[in-house]
Amino acid sequence: MRLVIARCSVDYAGWLTAHLPSAPRLILVKADGSVSIHADDRAYKPLNWMSPPCTLKEGADDSEGVWTVVNKAGEKLIITMEEVLHDSSHELGVDPGLIKDGVEAHLQELLADRIETIGEGYTLIRREYPTAIGPVDILCRDADGRTVAVELKRRGDIDGVEQLTRYLELLNRDPHLAPVRGVFAAQEIKPQARVLATDRGIGCLVLDYNAMRGIEDDKLRLF
């Protein structure tokens, strides 16, 4: 990536015309060929840009202070440099991509590791407990030794309650586990899902992801 801070003006010539008067700006030239011009506001949004594939020619028309960026449609971004304040290039390499936090798998891992979140005296039997229709997210025992099946969602809706209901029907056929009660756990539980769960004797647990990661909060509630 090339970073250039310069006092410049910018003209766009394409399906319309646009002009940015002279001012200090940041110009980003990325390895994919894209060029974008930024001011010190507007968050991540550039003032103007040219998406790849495009070509950058410096010193067009015998003028060293003019950059011309042309895309495959023939549109042009003409950057007229008046004063270059900074010019540096950096090799960033291949980006590993964004790893999203708070997905169901991570919630499951956190809750299994902090099983007492469900209630005092709870112990873990196992994660991904197998059944004929798929694995139960968490199977555990409460302080009285009774089996509890936990279904985890980021956003809990009626479908999640129905899924847990089917698991409970199967698990309660096993004399070594029965009676099995259910807990529907999610970062957010929709009102309709809560009503259905309550009607079926299923507990609802609202998970505070930050608190589970060790960040103090008081929003964790068991209903």
Side-chain angles (χ1 to χ4, degrees):
M1 179 183 289
R2 185 178 177 187
L3 308 175
V4 178
I5 299 176
R7 178 175 291 277
C8 62
S9 61
V10 183
D11 291 279
Y12 169 79
W15 63 277
L16 53 76
T17 59
H19 174 71
L20 293 173
S22 176
R25 297 189 175 93
L26 167 66
I27 303 168
L28 297 182
V29 183
K30 295 188 177 181
D32 63 4
S34 63
V35 178
S36 57
I37 296 94
H38 298 260
D40 201 12
D41 62 2
R42 297 166 58 92
Y44 62 90
K45 295 183 65 177
L47 295 166
N48 216 325
W49 68 95
M50 194 69 79
S51 300
C54 58
T55 58
L56 167 62
K57 184 178 180 181
E58 298 182 44
D61 301 325
D62 298 324
S63 175
E64 293 184 2
V66 176
W67 289 13
T68 303
V69 187
V70 184
N71 66 11
K72 63 180 181 180
E75 298 169 308
K76 292 183 180 181
L77 198 62
I78 301 168
I79 307 169
T80 303
M81 302 289 192
E82 298 175 12
E83 181 184 8
V84 176
L85 305 173
H86 175 86
D87 189 344
S88 63
S89 296
H90 308 270
E91 187 64 45
L92 301 185
V94 178
D95 190 87
L98 175 67
I99 300 174
K100 292 186 178 181
D101 211 2
V103 296
E104 289 174 18
H106 198 195
L107 282 171
Q108 183 191 111
E109 180 182 350
L110 284 169
L111 189 57
D113 187 55
R114 299 161 177 78
I115 200 67
E116 69 281 356
T117 298
I118 305 174
E120 186 176 352
Y122 274 65
T123 56
L124 178 68
I125 296 177
R126 67 168 289 178
R127 293 167 52 192
E128 298 289 325
Y129 187 89
T131 76
I133 58 172
V136 177
D137 286 327
I138 290 177
L139 198 68
C140 56
R141 296 191 188 279
D142 64 17
D144 298 320
R146 294 171 296 191
T147 310
V148 180
V150 183
E151 180 64 23
L152 278 164
K153 301 291 181 186
R154 277 194 289 174
R155 293 178 178 84
D157 55 21
I158 287 177
D159 288 343
V161 178
E162 294 285 5
Q163 183 180 0
L164 179 54
T165 300
R166 293 192 293 271
Y167 287 146
L168 290 171
E169 289 175 356
L170 284 176
L171 293 170
N172 274 302
R173 296 176 190 175
D174 186 338
H176 299 291
L177 298 175
V180 184
R181 66 182 181 89
V183 171
F184 188 50
Q187 289 178 277
E188 174 189 351
I189 299 177
K190 294 184 177 180
Q192 299 93 329
R194 187 182 297 278
V195 170
L196 181 61
T198 301
D199 183 67
R200 295 182 177 179
I202 295 172
C204 291
L205 176 66
V206 176
L207 298 173
D208 187 302
Y209 185 61
N210 286 334
M212 292 175 69
R213 293 161 60 197
I215 302 173
E216 285 297 327
D217 203 346
D218 62 356
K219 297 179 183 176
L220 193 63
R221 301 181 299 275
L222 179 61
F223 296 91

PDB file of all heavy atoms in Angstrom, residues 112-129:
ATOM      1  N   ALA A 112     -19.766 -23.325  28.059  1.00  0.00           N
ATOM      2  CA  ALA A 112     -19.301 -24.615  28.580  1.00  0.00           C
ATOM      3  C   ALA A 112     -18.177 -24.419  29.595  1.00  0.00           C
ATOM      4  O   ALA A 112     -18.091 -25.132  30.603  1.00  0.00           O
ATOM      5  CB  ALA A 112     -18.837 -25.501  27.426  1.00  0.00           C
ATOM      6  N   ASP A 113     -17.332 -23.435  29.322  1.00  0.00           N
ATOM      7  CA  ASP A 113     -16.220 -23.161  30.228  1.00  0.00           C
ATOM      8  C   ASP A 113     -16.687 -22.470  31.499  1.00  0.00           C
ATOM      9  O   ASP A 113     -16.057 -22.574  32.552  1.00  0.00           O
ATOM     10  CB  ASP A 113     -15.183 -22.293  29.505  1.00  0.00           C
ATOM     11  CG  ASP A 113     -13.922 -22.100  30.317  1.00  0.00           C
ATOM     12  OD1 ASP A 113     -13.317 -23.103  30.716  1.00  0.00           O
ATOM     13  OD2 ASP A 113     -13.552 -20.937  30.562  1.00  0.00           O
ATOM     14  N   ARG A 114     -17.832 -21.768  31.405  1.00  0.00           N
ATOM     15  CA  ARG A 114     -18.397 -21.049  32.560  1.00  0.00           C
ATOM     16  C   ARG A 114     -19.810 -21.561  32.810  1.00  0.00           C
ATOM     17  O   ARG A 114     -20.760 -20.793  32.834  1.00  0.00           O
ATOM     18  CB  ARG A 114     -18.397 -19.545  32.286  1.00  0.00           C
ATOM     19  CG  ARG A 114     -17.015 -18.957  32.050  1.00  0.00           C
ATOM     20  CD  ARG A 114     -17.087 -17.617  31.348  1.00  0.00           C
ATOM     21  NE  ARG A 114     -15.787 -16.992  31.179  1.00  0.00           N
ATOM     22  CZ  ARG A 114     -14.903 -17.333  30.261  1.00  0.00           C
ATOM     23  NH1 ARG A 114     -15.177 -18.319  29.412  1.00  0.00           N
ATOM     24  NH2 ARG A 114     -13.732 -16.717  30.162  1.00  0.00           N
ATOM     25  N   ILE A 115     -19.928 -22.846  32.996  1.00  0.00           N
ATOM     26  CA  ILE A 115     -21.233 -23.493  33.082  1.00  0.00           C
ATOM     27  C   ILE A 115     -22.043 -22.985  34.268  1.00  0.00           C
ATOM     28  O   ILE A 115     -23.284 -23.018  34.264  1.00  0.00           O
ATOM     29  CB  ILE A 115     -21.083 -25.035  33.132  1.00  0.00           C
ATOM     30  CG1 ILE A 115     -22.390 -25.724  32.740  1.00  0.00           C
ATOM     31  CG2 ILE A 115     -20.559 -25.485  34.483  1.00  0.00           C
ATOM     32  CD1 ILE A 115     -22.790 -25.533  31.323  1.00  0.00           C
ATOM     33  N   GLU A 116     -21.350 -22.440  35.272  1.00  0.00           N
ATOM     34  CA  GLU A 116     -22.052 -21.900  36.433  1.00  0.00           C
ATOM     35  C   GLU A 116     -22.864 -20.657  36.067  1.00  0.00           C
ATOM     36  O   GLU A 116     -23.672 -20.180  36.879  1.00  0.00           O
ATOM     37  CB  GLU A 116     -21.051 -21.577  37.552  1.00  0.00           C
ATOM     38  CG  GLU A 116     -20.109 -20.419  37.284  1.00  0.00           C
ATOM     39  CD  GLU A 116     -18.930 -20.782  36.386  1.00  0.00           C
ATOM     40  OE1 GLU A 116     -18.791 -21.979  36.021  1.00  0.00           O
ATOM     41  OE2 GLU A 116     -18.151 -19.867  36.062  1.00  0.00           O
ATOM     42  N   THR A 117     -22.665 -20.137  34.851  1.00  0.00           N
ATOM     43  CA  THR A 117     -23.478 -19.025  34.370  1.00  0.00           C
ATOM     44  C   THR A 117     -24.960 -19.390  34.373  1.00  0.00           C
ATOM     45  O   THR A 117     -25.833 -18.560  34.643  1.00  0.00           O
ATOM     46  CB  THR A 117     -23.051 -18.629  32.936  1.00  0.00           C
ATOM     47  OG1 THR A 117     -21.686 -18.197  32.977  1.00  0.00           O
ATOM     48  CG2 THR A 117     -23.906 -17.505  32.386  1.00  0.00           C
ATOM     49  N   ILE A 118     -25.259 -20.659  34.079  1.00  0.00           N
ATOM     50  CA  ILE A 118     -26.655 -21.117  34.042  1.00  0.00           C
ATOM     51  C   ILE A 118     -27.234 -21.178  35.440  1.00  0.00           C
ATOM     52  O   ILE A 118     -28.410 -20.881  35.662  1.00  0.00           O
ATOM     53  CB  ILE A 118     -26.757 -22.493  33.351  1.00  0.00           C
ATOM     54  CG1 ILE A 118     -26.119 -22.425  31.963  1.00  0.00           C
ATOM     55  CG2 ILE A 118     -28.212 -22.946  33.241  1.00  0.00           C
ATOM     56  CD1 ILE A 118     -26.036 -23.774  31.275  1.00  0.00           C
ATOM     57  N   GLY A 119     -26.418 -21.553  36.398  1.00  0.00           N
ATOM     58  CA  GLY A 119     -26.874 -21.658  37.776  1.00  0.00           C
ATOM     59  C   GLY A 119     -25.785 -22.223  38.673  1.00  0.00           C
ATOM     60  O   GLY A 119     -24.896 -22.953  38.220  1.00  0.00           O
ATOM     61  N   GLU A 120     -25.854 -21.893  39.926  1.00  0.00           N
ATOM     62  CA  GLU A 120     -24.856 -22.379  40.883  1.00  0.00           C
ATOM     63  C   GLU A 120     -24.948 -23.892  41.015  1.00  0.00           C
ATOM     64  O   GLU A 120     -26.033 -24.466  41.099  1.00  0.00           O
ATOM     65  CB  GLU A 120     -25.088 -21.718  42.243  1.00  0.00           C
ATOM     66  CG  GLU A 120     -24.018 -22.039  43.277  1.00  0.00           C
ATOM     67  CD  GLU A 120     -24.233 -21.296  44.574  1.00  0.00           C
ATOM     68  OE1 GLU A 120     -25.122 -20.418  44.617  1.00  0.00           O
ATOM     69  OE2 GLU A 120     -23.515 -21.604  45.554  1.00  0.00           O
ATOM     70  N   GLY A 121     -23.809 -24.551  41.001  1.00  0.00           N
ATOM     71  CA  GLY A 121     -23.755 -25.995  41.171  1.00  0.00           C
ATOM     72  C   GLY A 121     -23.912 -26.784  39.884  1.00  0.00           C
ATOM     73  O   GLY A 121     -23.916 -28.018  39.915  1.00  0.00           O
ATOM     74  N   TYR A 122     -24.029 -26.116  38.737  1.00  0.00           N
ATOM     75  CA  TYR A 122     -24.155 -26.814  37.461  1.00  0.00           C
ATOM     76  C   TYR A 122     -22.821 -27.429  37.055  1.00  0.00           C
ATOM     77  O   TYR A 122     -21.750 -26.863  37.320  1.00  0.00           O
ATOM     78  CB  TYR A 122     -24.625 -25.857  36.360  1.00  0.00           C
ATOM     79  CG  TYR A 122     -26.119 -25.703  36.285  1.00  0.00           C
ATOM     80  CD1 TYR A 122     -26.834 -25.126  37.340  1.00  0.00           C
ATOM     81  CD2 TYR A 122     -26.822 -26.125  35.169  1.00  0.00           C
ATOM     82  CE1 TYR A 122     -28.204 -24.966  37.277  1.00  0.00           C
ATOM     83  CE2 TYR A 122     -28.198 -25.974  35.095  1.00  0.00           C
ATOM     84  CZ  TYR A 122     -28.882 -25.398  36.147  1.00  0.00           C
ATOM     85  OH  TYR A 122     -30.245 -25.260  36.087  1.00  0.00           O
ATOM     86  N   THR A 123     -22.877 -28.608  36.420  1.00  0.00           N
ATOM     87  CA  THR A 123     -21.681 -29.268  35.904  1.00  0.00           C
ATOM     88  C   THR A 123     -21.915 -29.679  34.454  1.00  0.00           C
ATOM     89  O   THR A 123     -23.035 -30.021  34.058  1.00  0.00           O
ATOM     90  CB  THR A 123     -21.320 -30.518  36.727  1.00  0.00           C
ATOM     91  OG1 THR A 123     -22.445 -31.405  36.743  1.00  0.00           O
ATOM     92  CG2 THR A 123     -20.937 -30.152  38.150  1.00  0.00           C
ATOM     93  N   LEU A 124     -20.859 -29.634  33.670  1.00  0.00           N
ATOM     94  CA  LEU A 124     -20.944 -29.949  32.254  1.00  0.00           C
ATOM     95  C   LEU A 124     -20.872 -31.464  32.022  1.00  0.00           C
ATOM     96  O   LEU A 124     -20.024 -32.144  32.593  1.00  0.00           O
ATOM     97  CB  LEU A 124     -19.802 -29.264  31.504  1.00  0.00           C
ATOM     98  CG  LEU A 124     -19.710 -29.521  29.997  1.00  0.00           C
ATOM     99  CD1 LEU A 124     -20.877 -28.882  29.261  1.00  0.00           C
ATOM    100  CD2 LEU A 124     -18.374 -29.000  29.455  1.00  0.00           C
ATOM    101  N   ILE A 125     -21.792 -31.978  31.209  1.00  0.00           N
ATOM    102  CA  ILE A 125     -21.688 -33.362  30.739  1.00  0.00           C
ATOM    103  C   ILE A 125     -20.854 -33.380  29.468  1.00  0.00           C
ATOM    104  O   ILE A 125     -19.829 -34.039  29.399  1.00  0.00           O
ATOM    105  CB  ILE A 125     -23.083 -33.973  30.481  1.00  0.00           C
ATOM    106  CG1 ILE A 125     -23.870 -34.049  31.799  1.00  0.00           C
ATOM    107  CG2 ILE A 125     -22.951 -35.361  29.839  1.00  0.00           C
ATOM    108  CD1 ILE A 125     -25.290 -34.561  31.630  1.00  0.00           C
ATOM    109  N   ARG A 126     -21.292 -32.627  28.444  1.00  0.00           N
ATOM    110  CA  ARG A 126     -20.481 -32.458  27.243  1.00  0.00           C
ATOM    111  C   ARG A 126     -21.121 -31.429  26.312  1.00  0.00           C
ATOM    112  O   ARG A 126     -22.313 -31.139  26.389  1.00  0.00           O
ATOM    113  CB  ARG A 126     -20.266 -33.769  26.496  1.00  0.00           C
ATOM    114  CG  ARG A 126     -21.506 -34.377  25.881  1.00  0.00           C
ATOM    115  CD  ARG A 126     -21.142 -35.510  24.910  1.00  0.00           C
ATOM    116  NE  ARG A 126     -20.515 -35.000  23.676  1.00  0.00           N
ATOM    117  CZ  ARG A 126     -20.082 -35.793  22.700  1.00  0.00           C
ATOM    118  NH1 ARG A 126     -20.155 -37.118  22.819  1.00  0.00           N
ATOM    119  NH2 ARG A 126     -19.559 -35.297  21.603  1.00  0.00           N
ATOM    120  N   ARG A 127     -20.286 -30.885  25.446  1.00  0.00           N
ATOM    121  CA  ARG A 127     -20.764 -30.047  24.350  1.00  0.00           C
ATOM    122  C   ARG A 127     -21.115 -30.942  23.174  1.00  0.00           C
ATOM    123  O   ARG A 127     -20.613 -32.042  23.037  1.00  0.00           O
ATOM    124  CB  ARG A 127     -19.682 -29.060  23.927  1.00  0.00           C
ATOM    125  CG  ARG A 127     -19.333 -28.013  24.958  1.00  0.00           C
ATOM    126  CD  ARG A 127     -18.040 -27.281  24.597  1.00  0.00           C
ATOM    127  NE  ARG A 127     -18.046 -26.744  23.233  1.00  0.00           N
ATOM    128  CZ  ARG A 127     -16.955 -26.280  22.615  1.00  0.00           C
ATOM    129  NH1 ARG A 127     -15.785 -26.294  23.231  1.00  0.00           N
ATOM    130  NH2 ARG A 127     -17.037 -25.809  21.385  1.00  0.00           N
ATOM    131  N   GLU A 128     -22.019 -30.427  22.315  1.00  0.00           N
ATOM    132  CA  GLU A 128     -22.393 -31.147  21.097  1.00  0.00           C
ATOM    133  C   GLU A 128     -22.834 -32.583  21.418  1.00  0.00           C
ATOM    134  O   GLU A 128     -22.348 -33.549  20.822  1.00  0.00           O
ATOM    135  CB  GLU A 128     -21.227 -31.154  20.102  1.00  0.00           C
ATOM    136  CG  GLU A 128     -20.786 -29.774  19.628  1.00  0.00           C
ATOM    137  CD  GLU A 128     -21.799 -29.123  18.700  1.00  0.00           C
ATOM    138  OE1 GLU A 128     -22.443 -29.833  17.918  1.00  0.00           O
ATOM    139  OE2 GLU A 128     -21.964 -27.882  18.777  1.00  0.00           O
ATOM    140  N   TYR A 129     -23.752 -32.708  22.349  1.00  0.00           N
ATOM    141  CA  TYR A 129     -24.241 -34.034  22.730  1.00  0.00           C
ATOM    142  C   TYR A 129     -25.083 -34.602  21.572  1.00  0.00           C
ATOM    143  O   TYR A 129     -26.057 -33.989  21.132  1.00  0.00           O
ATOM    144  CB  TYR A 129     -25.080 -33.952  24.003  1.00  0.00           C
ATOM    145  CG  TYR A 129     -25.469 -35.296  24.547  1.00  0.00           C
ATOM    146  CD1 TYR A 129     -24.645 -35.956  25.447  1.00  0.00           C
ATOM    147  CD2 TYR A 129     -26.655 -35.911  24.150  1.00  0.00           C
ATOM    148  CE1 TYR A 129     -24.993 -37.207  25.948  1.00  0.00           C
ATOM    149  CE2 TYR A 129     -27.006 -37.161  24.644  1.00  0.00           C
ATOM    150  CZ  TYR A 129     -26.173 -37.803  25.544  1.00  0.00           C
ATOM    151  OH  TYR A 129     -26.517 -39.048  26.036  1.00  0.00           O
TER     152      TYR A 129
END
